[in-house]
Structure formats: C-alpha cells, structure tokens
Amino acid sequence: MKIPPVKGTRDFYPPDMARRNWIIDGWKRVSVRNGFEEYDGPIFEYLKMFQIKSGDEIVEQLFSLTDRGGRELALRPEITPTLARMVNQQINSLPRPIKWFSVPRLFRAERPQKGRLREFFQWNIDIIGVDDVLADAETIFCALDYLQEVGLTPNDIVVKISSREMLAALLQSIGIAEGELEDLYVVLDKRSRLPGDTFEQMLAEKVPDENKRKKILGLMAVESIEQISDCLELNETARESVDELKRLFGLLEVMGVADFCMFDISTVRGLAYYTGIVYEIYDRGGELRAIGGGGRYDNLLRQFGGPAIPATGFGIGDSVLAILLEEKGLLEKQLPSRKLDYFVVCVDEVYRETAVKLTMKLRSAGFAANFSYKAAKLSKQLKQASEQNAGRCVIIGSEIENDQLIVKNMATGKQELIKLDKFFAELKS
Ligand code: HAM
C-alpha cells in the first residue's frame, strides 16, 4: 500500500523545493535590506500560550498533544505569541526598537482549500518598541518591497487598511459595549467571505437591536476616510485614529507605495490581539484568500506578562502567494534552474578511479560536480550531463594515459583536448 501525505500537508519534491526556497530566500533578502534580524522559536509550545490572546478561531484550529510528562502542548499556528514570549524574556537587555523577522513553519487544522493548508510557511515582520504610525507604514512598505520585487503591480494586489481603534470608537458611539467588541470583530472580519444574508444573520445574533445593526451596516458601507464623519459624529478617540490613518496614507505616499493601498473599513482581522492599524493584502481580482495580513498589537506583550510595549507587524503565507504568482506567470520564469559546473564522463571502467578522483578534486575546489556511475555510451552520459544542466563536461578516455582529458563546453558544443596540469592550473585561476 502506498501511503499518501496527511490531508492539508505537502511533499516538496526537488522542483517544489526550488519554488519554496526561491520564495523564502526573497523574504529573507527583503527583510535584511529593510533592517530586520532573523529569529525563530520552537515548533511546539505550551497549549495555553495560544489560548491567551489569539482568539477562538485559531484555538479551534490548534493541533494539540499531550507529552509523556502530561504537559499540554500545541504545534504553533502562528509565531506572534512566541515572539511576545521571547521578547519578554530578555526585555531588559534587548536594544530597542526591535526589528525582527522569521519564516516559521506553521500548523492550523483548517478545512484545506485553495490557498489554505494545514501546514504552511509564513513570513513574519515585526517592529517592537515604536508607537509611531511610521512603524506601521514601514511594515507595509516592507511587504510591498518584496511583492514588487517578484513582479506584482498595483493592478495585481491591494493592501486594504483600517484601524481597529477607530472602529472600536465608532462602534461604541453606536452603543456597542467595549466587552462586546471582540466577538463583533470576528463576525465583521468574515463579511467579505460570506454571502450577504449569512453575514446579516450572524450579525443579528451578536447585535439583536435592529437600529444598531443598521448603523453598523451603514458604517461598513463607508468608502473613504472622509465619509466616516458624514455617517457618524466622531468622538475624540475616533478623530485621533482617523488622523492617524490619514498620516499613515501620507507616509505610504512618501514611501512610493500609495498606489497599492486603499482604506477599507471592513478590514478588521481575525486575530483578537490587534489594537490599532490593521491591514490585509489581497489579489485585486478578489478571487483568492488573503495573501497576508497584520497590524498593531500594543497590548500583547503585557498580556504575556511583560511591560506595556507597542508592537506592529504582519504575516504573509507561501501558499496564496505561490498561486497568485503562478496565475500571473511570474513564478516559473524567475526560478533559478539547477546548475552543475562540471559533469565527469568516464568512457571506460578502467578510468573509474581517475574519474572519481577528479570529481572529488573539483568539488573540493568549490565546483558543483557530478559523475556518471556507469561507463555507459558517451552519448548517454552527455545526455545525463545536459539533463543536470552542466556547464562543462570533462571526458576521461584513453587520452588520460598521456595525462590529457577532453573538456566540452555544453553551451557551445566546443571540445578541447587539455593537459591535466593545465586543467588544474586553470581551475585555480
Ligand atoms: P493571519 O492573518 O492569521 O495572521 O495569517 C497571515 C497569513 O498567513 C494569511 O494571510 C495567509 O497568507 C497565511 N495563512 C494563514 N493561515 C493559513 C493556512 N491555513 N494555510 C496557508 N496559509 C495561511 C497571523 O498569523 C499573524 N500572527 C500575523 C502577524 C504578525 N501579525 C502581527 N505580526
């Protein structure tokens, strides 16, 4: 019986691994040029860590286990709680601001669907210790820096931005109690993914008062920051957060990425810990699930037993991103192909040791080299060399008895008979 991979997981054959590495290498390169340092944590943590402040949705999707010592553990569904834990542990010695990135392997027991898996990779960028909206703008720039580098334009993707602080103030002015906000966010976050009547039904369960519900729906229909004050009278907190949003858009303009960004009041985010600016990145066509999302979470470190330190960041998964890049024809053509510097051809078993020795010498000198395991026909070995994308073939035949070998340039097809010592001398230069 052939055993398939577990539902929602992926096998990475070499071509898949090449894609994965290309995506992750890009994330890392862009993180570093934006001034971030890499960190990582364990793949499993205490279960309770993810129950503190991530919200019910993610808790329901946990892969949990009990270890032999009876400890309740869970595979990490995200890395933000680990980040909060790690930063709190060394809070007094870490120079601030903390600008860290990570590319964790994550696990969520979601219903597998296009772009949503049970095991995936996620690029995380976080800035801890800066309460200025400049830090939020910088994280958005960083995401777009990468997405532009791989060839996506404002015609392909959009960053939908809002503020939970503003939404909280507006909802409270409608009469929603502070304690009811978190549950309401969960419903509002689902709005774009649900049919209208299903959404309204869910909303009615959370907000039985029809008058309040109408006001919420009116608010959700607002299309610009300016329209908010036409819809509701703003209290001081709401006004301050509207100003903050305006400043964010001004900064995104200065950073040259405003064309990618729009205000969208229905962007709320599914996780419970966000406190201020929130954003999600989507394909313009709106066909796919979110490419990424993030925002400000100023209370999380304190909720994890540390001091009150502001924080902001995002996560972008590898799965929707790869689907979008593939659909746009941007993936395959950018992948570096497998390359060998040399392929060593041995025309007769009597030269086997020489061929092996020469291959190992090439490798020790820093060249990528392979050899044929059998002294098969020359044409067959040359075919193998071109399948492995070798730049040159070294052919070891009877000429070796005169200390000579043939070097074939695979691109031009040109062959050259060359003395062994000259070959090695040229390698060094
Ligand atoms: P999130 O919105 O849960 O945020 O996930 C961010 C991104 O991870 C999603 O937009 C998606 O690309 C990817 N993702 C999430 N779940 C799956 C899945 N089941 N399969 C494939 N991809 C998935 C967070 O995780 C926050 N911790 C991000 C953050 C960092 N906020 C601040 N700092």
Side-chain angles (χ1 to χ4, degrees):
M1 189 186 69
K2 287 184 181 164
I3 300 168
V6 172
K7 187 173 163 185
T9 66
R10 290 168 290 179
D11 291 330
F12 291 91
Y13 289 89
D16 311 308
M17 202 60 210
R19 286 158 157 235
R20 178 175 129 191
N21 282 338
W22 176 74
I23 288 175
I24 291 179
D25 289 350
W27 287 347
K28 292 190 174 184
R29 190 175 52 249
V30 172
S31 302
V32 170
R33 78 172 177 231
N34 278 265
F36 291 81
E37 289 178 290
E38 189 166 4
Y39 73 99
D40 199 358
I43 277 183
F44 50 88
E45 295 266 9
Y46 288 110
L47 173 70
K48 66 172 189 281
M49 229 186 69
F50 302 112
Q51 296 169 327
I52 296 179
K53 204 53 210 171
S54 296
D56 293 343
E57 196 172 60
I58 224 163
V59 169
E60 283 160 18
Q61 295 172 348
L62 284 173
F63 278 105
S64 51
L65 59 139
T66 307
D67 77 1
R68 290 175 196 211
R71 281 169 283 264
E72 289 193 67
L73 310 174
L75 297 183
R76 61 187 180 191
E78 56 161 342
I79 203 169
T80 316
T82 302
L83 172 68
R85 180 178 67 66
M86 285 170 62
V87 168
N88 274 347
Q89 239 159 231
Q90 297 195 355
I91 196 65
N92 296 323
S93 56
L94 290 172
R96 281 188 241 163
I98 295 161
K99 287 181 68 177
W100 284 2
F101 80 93
S102 192
V103 183
R105 189 174 200 135
L106 304 180
F107 307 85
R108 295 187 191 180
E110 277 200 58
R111 187 170 62 80
Q113 51 188 301
K114 195 174 176 188
R116 285 291 178 271
L117 299 163
R118 294 193 165 171
E119 184 193 38
F120 58 99
F121 293 87
Q122 193 195 57
W123 177 31
N124 279 255
I125 280 286
D126 289 274
I127 303 178
I128 296 174
V130 184
D131 62 5
D132 194 310
V133 75
L134 176 57
D136 305 82
E138 190 184 10
T139 61
I140 295 174
F141 173 84
C142 186
L144 289 169
D145 190 18
Y146 170 78
L147 294 167
Q148 287 184 91
E149 185 179 281
V150 292
L152 294 166
T153 70
N155 293 329
D156 305 315
I157 51 166
V158 58
V159 188
K160 296 183 174 180
I161 305 170
S162 188
S163 159
R164 260 205 192 176
E165 193 178 35
M166 178 193 75
L167 190 63
L170 295 174
L171 290 171
Q172 280 175 280
S173 75
I174 289 173
I176 306 292
E178 200 182 340
E180 294 167 345
L181 287 173
E182 218 168 88
D183 275 358
L184 187 54
Y185 290 154
V186 174
V187 177
L188 296 180
D189 175 61
K190 294 202 169 96
R191 196 176 82 120
S192 62
R193 300 198 294 275
L194 291 176
D197 47 351
T198 317
F199 168 72
E200 284 185 30
Q201 207 178 326
M202 282 178 80
L203 186 63
E205 280 165 26
K206 292 279 176 249
V207 185
D209 182 314
E210 198 184 336
N211 191 30
K212 286 184 193 169
R213 226 164 45 231
K214 268 196 184 143
K215 285 188 179 159
I216 293 175
L217 290 172
L219 192 59
M220 288 294 124
V222 159
E223 285 179 349
S224 69
I225 301 179
E226 291 69 32
Q227 260 183 29
I228 298 170
S229 43
D230 302 342
C231 177
L232 281 174
E233 206 171 302
L234 303 186
N235 62 25
E236 204 186 320
T237 322
R239 225 176 302 123
E240 276 172 15
S241 41
V242 165
D243 288 346
E244 188 184 61
L245 263 176
K246 287 183 180 162
R247 186 153 171 260
L248 175 69
F249 279 95
L251 286 164
L252 293 168
E253 183 88 50
V254 171
M255 293 174 173
V257 291
D259 287 353
F260 285 92
C261 304
M262 66 175 276
F263 169 68
D264 175 46
I265 197 161
S266 61
T267 298
V268 191
R269 303 281 294 131
L271 294 158
Y273 47 66
Y274 293 107
T275 54
I277 298 290
V278 278
Y279 52 91
E280 291 209 310
I281 310 169
Y282 284 96
D283 62 301
R284 275 276 177 195
E287 311 268 305
L288 306 171
R289 296 287 300 267
I291 301 164
R296 184 160 277 285
Y297 50 100
D298 286 347
N299 296 332
L300 193 65
L301 275 86
R302 191 168 43 78
Q303 280 153 344
F304 271 73
I309 297 178
T312 185
F314 70 75
I316 288 183
D318 64 327
S319 157
V320 178
L321 176 68
I323 293 171
L324 181 67
L325 291 174
E326 186 146 35
E327 283 180 6
K328 300 278 171 195
L330 291 166
L331 192 57
E332 297 307 323
K333 68 175 188 194
Q334 298 194 73
L335 293 181
S337 49
R338 176 190 183 184
K339 273 203 181 75
L340 278 183
D341 298 309
Y342 289 97
F343 189 92
V344 178
V345 170
C346 173
V347 299
D348 193 309
E349 282 305 333
V350 292
Y351 309 126
R352 169 65 56 207
E353 277 188 17
T354 313
V356 169
K357 206 166 160 183
L358 188 109
T359 310
M360 304 312 150
K361 266 193 166 173
L362 284 168
R363 290 175 178 173
S364 304
F367 296 97
N370 256 349
F371 55 79
S372 163
Y373 291 94
K374 261 198 199 132
K377 264 203 202 146
L378 182 63
S379 60
K380 204 167 171 191
Q381 293 190 54
L382 289 175
K383 187 166 167 250
Q384 220 182 342
S386 65
E387 276 165 3
Q388 296 187 19
N389 216 359
R392 288 187 165 77
C393 266
V394 176
I395 302 167
I396 301 180
S398 56
E399 303 80 5
I400 200 73
E401 283 161 25
N402 300 322
D403 288 335
Q404 286 178 319
L405 39 77
I406 295 167
V407 177
K408 182 180 169 91
N409 181 318
M410 297 298 281
T412 62
K414 240 179 92 181
Q415 286 193 181
E416 197 189 347
L417 186 66
I418 183 167
K419 275 265 181 211
L420 254 184
D421 42 1
K422 190 172 168 223
F423 175 75
F424 286 116
E426 280 178 6
L427 276 187
K428 278 194 194 123
S429 65

